[in-house]
Amino acid sequence: MLIGAHVSASGGINRSIANGEAVGADCIQIFIGSPRTWRSPELTEDTIRKYKDALSGSRSIRDVVVHASYLINLASSDAELFAKSRSLLMQTVTAACAIEARGVVLHVGSHKGVGVDLVSSQIRDVFEEVQDELRGSSRTKLLIENTAGAGGTVGGSLSDVRMLLSLPEKRDRLGFCLDTQHLFAFGYDFRDHEILDMVLQELLECIGTIDCVHLNDSKTLPGGLHDRHENLGEGEIGLVALRELLRHPMFSEALVILEVPGDGKGPRFQDVELAKSILND
Ligand SMILES: [Zn+2]
Ligand SMILES: [Zn+2]
């Protein structure tokens, strides 16, 4: 298990390595390009070289995941939006492969009420295309993230996660990113031991090994569907339940990424230190 944080890559992705070191991270998550625009996440040869030099010269950062744009919606029934989403995801995947990232974390998107059954075949098509592309890379995977569940988003329930992960004929480059706050917000109150056991059993059956975790406490109560991250130990989940969840062996190879608010500017050194202290004992 490597423990780190989402950090800024503004000014060039090579800058993200120093930003990760500054907060004491073993691993980082970055956006390539802006997460709230449709602009293609292009990387120049020069940027890639600077990034690889920074990473290989780093004393602490050992792995990196890329988070895809929030605008991507593979579950949209709007043909134009779906096409733009597919294209932006493929460009992000290509960029992530170029930097040999561990994965691309993706929110699948929202069916906006039409129901997931009507859009599952278009999602499968994209997963197959992405996996074909990823097979040409050394290690990069597409990592589906569970959502808090508001507004018809696909992937809030563990049954949705199971369905998504079983879409491709062969699942060799498709993995899972578990966001602890989203899991809780959707309604899985894993402070309760029976629910925790049920969640772990379900995850074991549908995925087995977790590639990435977004480790966040929650500002809001379970079942509210609100995507509201809180600093560890300052929210409704608490340190005990987070530790109980992540001590399962299925997380032993995961990159654990904090996406907590800190003082308002994102994860701080003390947040990463706290995560290490509860998970490394
Ligand atoms: Zn996310
Ligand atoms: Zn979130």
Side-chain angles (χ1 to χ4, degrees):
M1 179 181 272
L2 297 177
I3 299 167
H6 184 97
V7 296
S8 168
S10 71
I13 57 165
N14 51 302
R15 305 272 183 93
S16 65
I17 305 296
N19 292 338
E21 287 171 342
V23 296
D26 303 329
C27 59
I28 56 172
Q29 174 177 274
I30 57 172
F31 295 119
I32 301 180
S34 166
R36 298 183 198 279
T37 72
W38 288 104
R39 223 172 322 117
S40 119
E42 275 165 26
L43 296 174
T44 64
E45 290 287 325
D46 185 50
T47 306
I48 293 171
R49 187 178 45 74
K50 281 186 188 150
Y51 165 86
K52 286 187 172 172
D53 286 350
L55 181 58
S56 63
S58 175
R59 300 173 310 286
S60 53
I61 308 298
R62 286 157 56 200
D63 218 341
V64 179
V65 283
V66 171
H67 199 301
S69 167
Y70 294 121
L71 300 183
I72 292 173
N73 186 356
L74 301 183
S76 177
S77 306
D78 176 326
E80 195 187 328
L81 179 58
F82 174 69
K84 278 167 78 174
S85 297
R86 182 177 195 150
S87 161
L88 182 56
L89 177 61
M90 290 308 294
Q91 289 161 0
T92 307
V93 162
T94 302
C97 290
I99 61 166
E100 295 168 358
R102 168 87 166 259
V104 174
V105 176
L106 174 71
H107 302 191
V108 170
S110 169
H111 58 69
K112 306 261 199 259
V114 307
V116 69
D117 291 346
L118 280 180
V119 294
S120 61
S121 76
Q122 72 186 46
I123 298 171
R124 176 177 51 229
D125 287 350
V126 178
F127 285 0
E128 296 287 9
E129 185 184 6
V130 168
Q131 284 205 117
D132 279 346
E133 173 82 12
L134 291 174
R135 284 179 194 120
S137 75
S138 56
R139 65 195 291 260
T140 311
K141 282 184 173 180
L142 181 65
L143 305 176
I144 304 307
E145 181 177 347
N146 64 309
T147 67
T153 53
V154 182
S157 69
L158 294 174
S159 60
D160 265 13
V161 170
R162 182 189 284 263
M163 180 279 294
L164 289 168
L165 290 169
S166 65
L167 284 176
E169 211 168 302
K170 180 175 163 214
R171 190 182 74 206
D172 55 337
R173 292 296 184 124
L174 186 64
F176 182 51
C177 173
L178 178 72
D179 188 307
T180 56
Q181 194 275 331
H182 299 174
L183 181 73
F184 186 77
F186 188 82
Y188 296 99
D189 185 355
F190 56 92
R191 295 173 300 186
D192 177 310
H193 263 106
E194 275 177 33
I195 295 173
L196 174 66
D197 288 346
M198 184 272 286
V199 165
L200 289 169
Q201 192 56 38
E202 185 78 21
L203 289 173
L204 258 184
E205 281 170 19
C206 71
I207 182 77
T209 313
I210 312 280
D211 290 281
C212 187
V213 174
H214 288 165
L215 176 60
N216 304 306
D217 208 326
S218 180
K219 277 198 202 300
T220 55
L221 288 164
L225 312 185
H226 301 294
D227 185 346
R228 302 281 304 281
H229 303 185
E230 182 53 284
N231 295 327
L232 304 185
E234 295 174 29
E236 299 294 337
I237 306 176
L239 299 177
V240 173
L242 290 169
R243 175 167 49 200
E244 287 292 305
L245 174 69
L246 296 186
R247 68 194 294 172
H248 192 279
M250 82 176 103
F251 296 102
S252 63
E253 300 297 317
L255 304 190
V256 175
I257 303 289
L258 290 168
E259 298 176 320
V260 297
D263 292 323
K265 288 186 267 173
R268 303 156 296 184
F269 187 88
Q270 68 203 71
D271 298 309
V272 177
E273 202 175 37
L274 176 60
K276 288 181 177 179
S277 78
I278 65 165
L279 299 178
N280 280 342
D281 64 357

